[in-house]
Amino acid sequence: MPKRIDLYDTTLRDGTQGEQVSLSAEDKLRIAKKLDDFGIRYIEGGWPGSNPKDMRFFDMARKTSFNKSRLTAFGSTHRPRTRPEDDENIKALLKTEVQTVALFGKSWDLHTSQILAVSLDENLAMIHETITYLKKEGREVIYDAEHFFDGYKTNPAYALKTLKAAADGGADVIVLCDTNGGTMTEEIQKIIKEVQPHLTGPIGIHAHNDCGLALSNSLTAVRSGATMVQGTINGYGERCGNADLISVIGNLQLKMGYDSIAPEKSKQLTELSRYVSEVVNLPPLNQQPFVGKSAFAHKGGVHVNAILKNPTAYEHLHPDQVGNRRRVLVSDLSGKSNIEYKTQELGIKLGGNGFDSKKIVHEIKKLEDQGYQFDAAEGSLELLIKKVTGQFEEPFTLESFRVTIEKNRSGASTSQATIKISVGEDYEITAAEGDGPVNALDHALRKALTKFFPRIQEMGLVDFKVRVIGEGGGTASKVRVQIESRDEREIWSTIGVSENIIEASWQALVDSVQYKLSKALNGV
Ligand SMILES: [Zn+2]
């Protein structure tokens, strides 16, 4: 039987300490439900004593049933010179009615005397009394020993006394925290080994990523005997973040043979990571281990050639195991293998005994030299391949467009676009306004096309990015415009490059529309 590890998620509390991470009480509930479906053992909902939003979350959570997870509330030891039963923070913890509470206390003498400003003995009494009280109230208590490793390094005897106080008070689990994230992996191992003989109950780890070691410190703690790992989805958290539970799970479950979730759930890791990044409203990190968009992406021709023979050659595990997918990128580094893999994926037939793929590689290299980047614009790439191989019929032709921008003394600025297109023998001229010149052009183009292709209304723009490429040219530099569009079926990216931002935007816009029309005309 593989050894059981309890996962403890603190995305909703420590994760929200991260810059740009902000969650409403409703968002928190959505994430909590997702974590419950996934099967994370403990979900820390928040610090009810610290803000009304967390209190409201716990009010809503009380009416929600959780199947696999235990919801926990976070709080600190009681205030100096107060009894636990009179402390507002402790009252708020109990008021949530959750069965498990996570309580943090000081282990580092520096924090005790300088920050909290109480005597060392008084701090021990606060830890002991608070836990005793919560146990008397029937709660499971997870004790977070804040700054434990820093405390142990400066005053090991005192740091150990704080753990003893928690254990004597009846703490169910004692979690050793690397709160400042500055501890080296070998120190984690050494200190846990030294602490273990003094404790009889289970030990946990809570690691921050300030040295980029949160994951490695968490895994080492497990190897040294810890049975609980605390972390956040995607590693969100204060400063450089917490241990990323996605990687923790990937490694514990698929590499080290521990049992932390139901085995079939590892296939949902990618979905879980993206769901949380969507709710948090932060773009997913492409290079994230296991689940990132690039985690199984192959660009170099030699690599692609090899994975076509045997994927193990350049993949540490099969992308299916974590619900991710293999991607072959096409760029100026590409060889024939990339093109062949890609065209097969797109259902495009190549002819001429390798002649077509040579032509495609040549065209891509030429365009990438001018500033295009096709690995990030798969929609434009598909159109390019079809055009080069003569499998593309232009659905419409641009005859002309004109864009005007007007700004007056009162400061308001308006944009108007007029466009003339032809479809077969037919012409259409339309005009439209917009928030800016590109927006006006987009409106005018769609208006003109709707008459011929009503399904154009199904698509919308999701994102519009402009990047200056090449150095030293100032406002005369080339710009690369990347547009992301979507309909109810998919999201696609297209690209345009020019010294003129309107021209670059136009190219990306036309590719985006043509991509949609090529699917629509094929009945997709
Ligand atoms: Zn923390």
Side-chain angles (χ1 to χ4, degrees):
M1 274 287 280
K3 204 171 152 200
R4 167 104 206 139
I5 300 295
D6 282 331
L7 297 173
Y8 184 108
D9 177 272
T10 178
T11 308
L12 306 181
R13 203 266 313 164
D14 229 357
T16 60
Q17 307 281 327
E19 203 171 337
Q20 290 184 309
V21 179
S22 165
L23 294 169
S24 67
E26 287 77 10
D27 290 339
K28 283 182 156 206
L29 199 62
R30 284 167 68 199
I31 293 178
K33 284 300 292 173
K34 190 81 181 172
L35 294 170
D36 178 45
D37 285 344
F38 187 78
I40 300 279
R41 184 85 177 112
Y42 293 94
I43 304 170
E44 191 171 81
W47 188 348
S50 79
N51 66 72
K53 184 177 28 180
D54 283 3
M55 205 63 227
R56 201 161 72 78
F57 164 79
F58 283 106
D59 284 341
M60 291 195 297
R62 238 195 324 272
K63 295 166 206 137
T64 312
S65 60
F66 289 90
N67 300 319
K68 299 181 193 129
S69 305
R70 283 189 200 175
L71 193 64
T72 80
F74 180 84
S76 70
T77 50
H78 72 76
R79 277 177 227 288
R81 295 166 289 281
T82 321
R83 293 185 312 165
E85 50 271 46
D86 299 328
D87 187 304
E88 292 305 322
N89 170 43
I90 309 284
K91 282 188 199 166
L93 270 183
L94 292 174
K95 214 177 138 212
T96 63
E97 293 175 25
V98 294
Q99 276 311 297
T100 307
V101 294
L103 191 82
F104 81 93
K106 303 287 185 193
S107 318
W108 190 359
D109 56 3
L110 173 144
H111 264 264
T112 308
S113 44
Q114 292 184 24
I115 315 294
L116 198 58
V118 297
S119 75
L120 295 184
D121 283 340
E122 204 175 343
N123 179 50
L124 296 178
M126 282 156 54
I127 296 170
H128 187 266
E129 283 163 15
T130 313
I131 297 178
T132 310
Y133 175 66
L134 290 170
K135 288 308 293 177
K136 203 180 82 207
E137 292 292 318
R139 298 304 196 276
E140 178 187 25
V141 177
I142 296 172
Y143 177 70
D144 279 9
E146 203 192 14
H147 294 111
F148 179 76
F149 295 96
D150 291 317
Y152 189 87
K153 281 191 268 181
T154 52
N155 188 344
Y158 183 70
L160 273 177
K161 273 190 196 170
T162 64
L163 299 189
K164 288 284 274 180
D168 292 346
D172 295 279
V173 186
I174 290 184
V175 180
L176 309 178
C177 304
D178 186 25
T179 310
N180 292 359
T183 307
M184 298 292 105
T185 304
E186 63 273 19
E187 294 175 310
I188 298 275
Q189 185 176 21
K190 176 175 163 283
I191 294 172
I192 292 182
K193 291 281 182 212
E194 285 172 17
V195 166
Q196 248 167 353
H198 300 275
L199 297 173
T200 50
I203 295 178
I205 180 80
H206 176 112
H208 277 263
N209 202 32
D210 298 72
C211 295
L213 294 174
L215 174 64
S216 126
N217 286 353
S218 303
L219 299 179
T220 296
V222 167
R223 265 198 221 99
S224 311
T227 54
M228 173 182 280
V229 179
Q230 298 194 345
T232 61
I233 301 299
N234 301 332
Y236 299 136
E238 252 169 304
R239 304 184 309 277
C240 312
N242 289 55
D244 179 0
L245 275 189
I246 297 289
S247 289
V248 166
I249 295 167
N251 284 297
L252 285 181
Q253 202 76 17
L254 301 170
K255 298 282 169 172
M256 295 162 72
Y258 286 95
D259 165 27
S260 61
I261 50 166
E264 69 277 8
K265 286 288 178 183
S266 67
K267 287 196 165 62
Q268 292 172 20
L269 266 183
T270 303
E271 191 206 327
L272 173 67
S273 162
R274 293 191 187 159
Y275 179 86
V276 175
S277 81
E278 183 76 29
V279 178
V280 171
N281 198 20
L282 284 177
L285 191 66
N286 288 350
Q287 289 88 350
Q288 192 174 358
F290 298 101
V291 300
K293 193 176 160 199
S294 309
F296 300 93
H298 304 282
K299 188 161 167 179
V302 179
H303 288 209
V304 174
N305 199 312
I307 60 148
L308 289 177
K309 292 178 185 149
N310 184 350
T312 322
Y314 284 99
E315 285 175 359
H316 70 103
L317 48 76
H318 196 286
D320 278 353
Q321 287 178 271
V322 289
N324 206 340
R325 72 179 185 96
R326 177 176 307 135
R327 291 167 62 234
V328 165
L329 308 178
V330 172
S331 74
D332 57 350
L333 299 180
S334 299
K336 256 174 55 196
S337 307
N338 298 48
I339 303 292
E340 277 158 16
Y341 187 97
K342 198 77 209 171
T343 46
Q344 220 171 27
E345 193 183 280
L346 298 172
I348 300 172
K349 285 206 172 55
L350 293 184
N353 240 340
F355 180 70
D356 272 352
S357 20
K358 240 185 249 159
K359 258 198 333 198
I360 297 167
V361 173
H362 175 78
E363 194 62 22
I364 288 169
K365 286 189 178 173
K366 195 179 84 193
L367 289 169
E368 292 223 340
D369 193 46
Q370 293 168 20
Y372 287 80
Q373 207 185 338
F374 287 100
D375 53 356
E378 286 173 325
S380 289
L381 175 70
E382 186 174 331
L383 294 178
L384 178 80
I385 293 176
K386 286 182 176 163
K387 282 176 192 166
V388 172
T389 55
Q391 298 176 57
F392 183 76
E393 220 173 292
E394 213 120 40
F396 64 91
T397 312
L398 170 75
E399 299 297 331
S400 63
F401 73 65
R402 172 191 298 225
V403 183
T404 56
I405 306 167
E406 210 177 307
K407 189 168 165 66
N408 60 30
R409 265 173 72 174
S410 72
S413 148
T414 55
S415 300
Q416 263 194 358
T418 318
I419 195 165
K420 182 178 178 189
I421 57 154
S422 60
V423 176
E425 303 288 293
D426 275 343
Y427 284 93
E428 182 71 18
I429 302 173
T430 53
E433 290 185 328
D435 292 334
V438 177
N439 189 237
L441 204 50
D442 179 34
H443 287 170
L445 177 64
R446 281 161 199 256
K447 214 162 128 187
L449 288 172
T450 304
K451 182 179 145 193
F452 305 101
F453 312 103
R455 286 187 61 189
I456 200 82
Q457 289 167 4
E458 293 167 4
M459 67 174 280
L461 296 195
V462 185
D463 200 7
F464 177 87
K465 276 185 242 163
V466 182
R467 179 161 203 159
V468 176
I469 46 176
E471 284 156 30
T475 47
S477 292
K478 263 191 189 172
V479 294
R480 176 162 63 222
V481 170
Q482 200 187 328
I483 289 180
E484 232 165 59
S485 316
R486 78 184 308 162
D487 58 17
E488 69 277 14
R489 278 183 62 251
E490 60 172 328
I491 296 181
W492 62 96
S493 305
T494 53
I495 194 169
V497 172
S498 169
E499 275 91 10
N500 180 330
I501 187 169
I502 303 284
E503 167 65 25
S505 307
W506 169 257
Q507 292 171 10
L509 205 57
V510 168
D511 267 11
S512 162
V513 167
Q514 289 192 337
Y515 180 89
K516 169 67 188 171
L517 292 181
S518 72
K519 302 279 158 175
L521 294 174
N522 284 320
V524 186

